[in-house]
């Protein structure tokens, strides 16, 4: 393995299967590459789960539109702005506004107003990531011009056949359109992120190797990926007997993160909530093997339990201030420090755009 991320497909597959000493070596390698390229700062994105209303019907997701058991909510404008003020005051360099997918003029306007006001109340100091699904190029442009700098749209799996198995063929879900949306985001000028679920039923290590190569080939700037976790009120639940045990899914996700860091040394990689759902130290483990972004949930607590994507999703045990102190301590204990008041832009994005004509 060389330092420059030139791993072959076969090598990636073999590393994805690594255990014991071989796995340790992979983790150490990724940690060293991370240290060299992005250092030991961990950037915070305050996660705001804006709305769990969703037009999509993904077979794996707890807030799919067919799940009638979900109590649906949308934050008010003021609630969203209060979250952003809180994040800014606490030194979070940025927020991520995540939502179920809604394509409507009203929704577009709501997000637009929040993005504009967030700039105003923080003097342009807060970085804004949107994660609001597939939208038209025009909507992406409008939000970008209002001040959103980053967008996260997970491809979920880069295997088109598997994508079809995970989504209904109802005209609302299309692998091709999702790729086109990612391309539109890049073209618009966003720092563009994607990601996949790891350990899905029917997914092979070869699929995961392809996912990593897909991200490299797409030249993404950021990645958020985590283990698939079953949810009893979804159609995919019936396949749960096919799944790896949770502990093994977590390790597989850690190997994915390590390999992505080796393949793409200067991107931002998030230690996602799903890792924490499996093991309360899962995010710190991810930081140790290559991740450099944490997304503490700052959604108002009365809504939090309704954004229930999968089983064991961590709920609010501490208040958000205590949570931040706790994270600060945990990160220091593993030789990292929080990059307070820093937007933590993707270094890859900087290089990608400065080399444009
Ligand atoms: N397990 C893990 N991640 C999930 N997501 C949705 N459902 C699940 C699940 N059951 C992820 C998807 C989506 C993001 C909001 O949450 O990747 O893009």
């Amino acid at each position: 393995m060389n330092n420059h991320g030139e791993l072959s497909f076969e090598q990636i597959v073999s590393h994805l299967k690594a255990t014991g000493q071989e796995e340790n070596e992979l983790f150490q390698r990724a940690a060293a590459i991370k240290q060299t390229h992005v250092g030991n700062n961990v950037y915070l994105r305050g996660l705001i789960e804006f709305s769990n209303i969703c037009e999509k019907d993904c077979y794996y997701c707890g807030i799919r539109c067919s799940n009638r058991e979900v109590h649906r909510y949308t934050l008010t404008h003021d609630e969203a702005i209060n979250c952003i003020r809180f994040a800014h005051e606490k030194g979070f360099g940025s927020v991520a506004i995540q939502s179920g997918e809604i394509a409507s003029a009203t929704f577009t306007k709501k997000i637009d107003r929040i993005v504009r006001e967030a700039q105003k109340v923080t003097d342009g100091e807060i970085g804004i990531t949107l994660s609001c699904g597939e939208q038209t190029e025009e909507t992406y442009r409008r939000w970008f011009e209002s001040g959103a700098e980053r967008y996260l749209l997970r491809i979920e799996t880069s295997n088109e056949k598997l994508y079809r198995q995970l989504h209904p063929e109802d005209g609302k879900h299309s692998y091709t359109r999702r790729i086109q949306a990612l391309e539109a985001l890049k073209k618009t000028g966003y720092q563009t992120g994607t990601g996949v679920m790891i350990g899905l039923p029917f997914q092979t290590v070869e699929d995961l190797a392809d996912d990593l190569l897909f991200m490299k080939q797409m030249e993404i700037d950021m990645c958020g990926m985590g283990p698939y976790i079953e949810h009893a009120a979804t159609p995919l639940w019936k396949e749960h007997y096919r799944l790896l045990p949770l502990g093994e899914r977590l390790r597989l996700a850690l190997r994915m993160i390590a390999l992505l860091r080796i393949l793409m040394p200067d991107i931002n990689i998030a230690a996602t909530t799903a890792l924490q759902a499996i093991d309360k130290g899962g995010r710190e483990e991810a930081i140790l093997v290559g991740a450099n972004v944490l997304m503490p949930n700052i959604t108002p607590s009365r809504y939090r339990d309704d954004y229930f994507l999968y089983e064991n999703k961590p709920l609010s045990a501490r208040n958000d201030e205590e949570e931040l102190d706790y994270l600060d301590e945990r990160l220091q204990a593993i030789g990292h420090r929080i990059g307070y008041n820093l937007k933590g832009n993707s270094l890859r994005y900087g290089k990608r755009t400065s080399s444009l004509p």
Side-chain angles (χ1 to χ4, degrees), residues 58-63 98-99 131 153-156 178 195-198 200 224-231 234 236 274 307-311:
C58 311
Y59 292 147
Y60 46 84
C61 182
I63 64 165
Q98 196 177 90
S99 178
S131 191
L153 182 74
R154 288 187 175 181
I155 187 69
E156 313 296 358
R178 210 155 175 89
V196 296
M197 285 178 289
I198 299 158
L200 287 158
M225 61 182 169
Y228 163 70
I229 303 173
E230 57 274 35
H231 185 308
T234 62
L236 204 59
Y307 205 86
F308 198 64
L309 303 175
Y310 43 77
E311 309 279 315

Side-chain angles (χ1 to χ4, degrees), residues 87-184:
H88 186 236
E89 279 161 21
K90 291 288 153 203
F92 287 55
S94 64
V95 291
I97 302 174
Q98 196 177 90
S99 178
E101 194 171 306
I102 314 164
S104 76
T106 318
F107 181 77
T108 305
K109 217 159 121 190
K110 269 190 204 165
I111 296 291
D112 196 56
R113 224 181 120 215
I114 293 168
V115 172
R116 281 172 191 274
E117 191 157 341
Q119 300 294 336
K120 235 191 270 164
V121 300
T122 68
D123 270 335
E125 283 174 3
I126 202 100
I128 301 176
T129 305
L130 294 179
S131 191
C132 301
E134 287 165 47
Q135 302 285 344
T136 62
E137 214 172 308
E138 191 191 334
T139 299
Y140 286 153
R141 197 172 325 114
R142 177 163 166 194
W143 291 340
F144 184 75
E145 284 168 2
S146 295
E149 296 167 301
R150 312 173 176 144
Y151 205 104
L152 189 63
L153 182 74
R154 288 187 175 181
I155 187 69
E156 313 296 358
T157 171
S158 66
N159 177 332
E160 184 166 3
K161 179 163 169 270
L162 182 56
Y163 191 95
R164 290 219 181 109
Q165 285 174 287
L166 302 174
H167 301 94
E169 305 239 14
D170 58 0
K172 283 194 300 187
H173 303 74
S174 150
Y175 176 81
T176 311
R177 275 209 307 277
R178 210 155 175 89
I179 304 247
Q180 285 166 349
L182 273 172
E183 277 160 0

Side-chain angles (χ1 to χ4, degrees), residues 3-50:
N3 259 335
H4 304 100
E6 300 305 325
L7 292 175
S8 69
F9 175 80
E10 288 74 21
Q11 284 171 316
I12 296 173
V13 169
S14 149
H15 287 303
L16 282 172
K17 295 180 186 160
T19 55
Q21 183 55 19
E22 204 190 331
E23 186 186 50
N24 270 338
E25 278 168 23
L26 172 71
F27 289 163
Q28 279 168 25
R29 186 75 182 209
I33 289 179
K34 177 180 122 163
Q35 188 60 37
T36 310
H37 291 265
V38 296
N40 65 349
N41 261 347
V42 175
Y43 300 107
L44 298 179
R45 321 279 181 236
L47 177 61
I48 304 171
E49 292 163 336
F50 177 68

Side-chain angles (χ1 to χ4, degrees), residues 14 44 78 81 105 114 130 144 149 272-273 326 337 344 354:
S14 149
L44 298 179
D78 290 347
I81 295 299
I114 293 168
L130 294 179
F144 184 75
E149 296 167 301
T272 56
T273 315
Y326 168 81
R337 57 161 192 264
S354 66

Side-chain angles (χ1 to χ4, degrees), residues 202-218:
F202 314 112
Q203 189 181 44
T204 64
V205 280
E206 285 78 14
D207 290 332
L208 290 169
D210 278 334
D211 288 341
L212 292 168
L213 292 170
F214 168 85
M215 292 191 252
K216 183 149 169 102
Q217 188 217 327
M218 282 292 289

